Structure formats: structure tokens, C-alpha cells
């Protein structure tokens, strides 16, 4: 049985000002930072607000054991914007790498987890966010990278 919440890939922190946050992390020796790689287009794409999703700003830093992502949501309505307004800056989600996204989504559904957003590419890569904030304290994501 594959456990899809076993291989932590990244921690995503929602921030109010991406440039200020990157500068602060760099002052602590964390970096280098790069823009989140968007990849090829999705063949399936279901998000609460596509315009807000497209306007989201991300920076990533690859640490020795995990990737750190900083996310600045636009002023448009999105789960990340609502999180920032309700809780302030902080950890929005944990992203786990999974070898089989469809299986991960199916198994999570069997556990009673609802999907918040999802995207699939033709090669099977993509992402799926689950509504786990109330139980886990954060949103959980499974993802599979492009090959």
C-alpha cells in the first residue's frame, strides 16, 4: 500500500510581501531563491479562482532536506488570500511527493478528504490540495513532478 503523505517535498508559507520576505530569509542565510517553475499547461485544472491562481507569486529555495516556498497571494479572492487575512503570515500547506497522483487523490477521497484544488498534465504530473486545515492544522497537498 502506498502512503501518499510520507515524502515531504515542500513547506509553503503565505506572506504579505514576497520581496521583503525573501530579503529577510536571505539575511538569515536561506537561499538562493528562484521563481516557481510553472511547467507545461494543465489538461485538467480546477481551482477556486483561476485568475487569482495565475496571479499568485511564488519563490522557492531548495534546502538540504526540503523545499521552502513563499507565496504572496494577489488581492483577489483565493484560499491563500483568505488564510492571510484570517491568520496572517504563516504555513499554508505541506506538499508531499507521490508517484501516482490519481491513486493519491482516490485514497484521500476514501479517507473523507475533500479536494480544494487540482491540476493534471498529460504526463500524469500535477497537484491536488485537500481540505485538511481543521484536522491537520494546515492544508495538505500531494504532487507529482513532470518527467
Amino acid at each position: 500500500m502506498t502512503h501518499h503523505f510520507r515524502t515531504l517535498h515542500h513547506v509553503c508559507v503565505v506572506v504579505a510581501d514576497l520581496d521583503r520576505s525573501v530579503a529577510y530569509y536571505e539575511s538569515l542565510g536561506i537561499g538562493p531563491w528562484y521563481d516557481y517553475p510553472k511547467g507545461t499547461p494543465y489538461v485538467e485544472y480546477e481551482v477556486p479562482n483561476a485568475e487569482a491562481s495565475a496571479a499568485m507569486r511564488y519563490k522557492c529555495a531548495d534546502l538540504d532536506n526540503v523545499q521552502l516556498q513563499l507565496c504572496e497571494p494577489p488581492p483577489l479572492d483565493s484560499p491563500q488570500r483568505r488564510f492571510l487575512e484570517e491568520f496572517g503570515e504563516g504555513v499554508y500547506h505541506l506538499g508531499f511527493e507521490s508517484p501516482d497522483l490519481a491513486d493519491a487523490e482516490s485514497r484521500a477521497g476514501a479517507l473523507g478528504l475533500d479536494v480544494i484544488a487540482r491540476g493534471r498534465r498529460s504526463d500524469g504530473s500535477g497537484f491536488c490540495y485537500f481540505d485538511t486545515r481543521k484536522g491537520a492544522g494546515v492544508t495538505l497537498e500531494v504532487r507529482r513532478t513532470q518527467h
Side-chain angles (χ1 to χ4, degrees):
M1 175 183 202
T2 302
H3 296 281
H4 298 285
F5 298 119
R6 298 286 303 167
T7 305
L8 183 64
H9 177 269
H10 65 268
V11 175
C12 181
V13 178
V14 169
V15 298
D17 182 325
L18 188 62
D19 298 327
R20 177 185 53 97
S21 296
V22 165
Y24 180 74
Y25 278 100
E26 286 177 335
S27 77
L28 300 175
I30 299 173
W33 293 89
Y34 58 92
D35 291 330
Y36 181 82
K38 293 290 186 179
T40 60
Y42 294 102
V43 294
E44 296 175 39
Y45 192 64
E46 301 165 19
V47 296
N49 182 336
E51 185 181 1
S53 184
M56 212 77 62
R57 292 183 61 214
Y58 286 91
K59 289 285 188 180
C60 304
D62 294 325
L63 309 179
D64 290 343
N65 58 341
V66 70
Q67 183 181 87
L68 180 59
Q69 296 180 355
L70 301 178
C71 168
E72 179 187 324
L76 305 167
D77 182 52
S78 67
Q80 294 88 340
R81 170 54 56 190
R82 289 191 300 270
F83 175 89
L84 184 61
E85 290 173 357
E86 185 174 348
F87 302 108
E89 296 178 314
V91 175
Y92 174 72
H93 78 263
L94 302 177
F96 294 87
E97 190 70 31
S98 176
D100 185 334
L101 220 64
D103 184 56
E105 186 174 337
S106 175
R107 287 179 187 267
L111 295 172
L113 301 181
D114 293 324
V115 173
I116 296 172
R118 61 190 296 278
R120 298 284 186 286
R121 294 184 179 95
S122 59
D123 67 357
S125 66
F127 67 91
C128 187
Y129 289 89
F130 299 103
D131 185 10
T132 56
R133 178 157 291 290
K134 286 183 183 171
V138 298
T139 298
L140 300 180
E141 173 201 17
V142 290
R143 65 187 298 275
R144 185 177 148 232
T145 55
Q146 283 184 283
H147 298 304

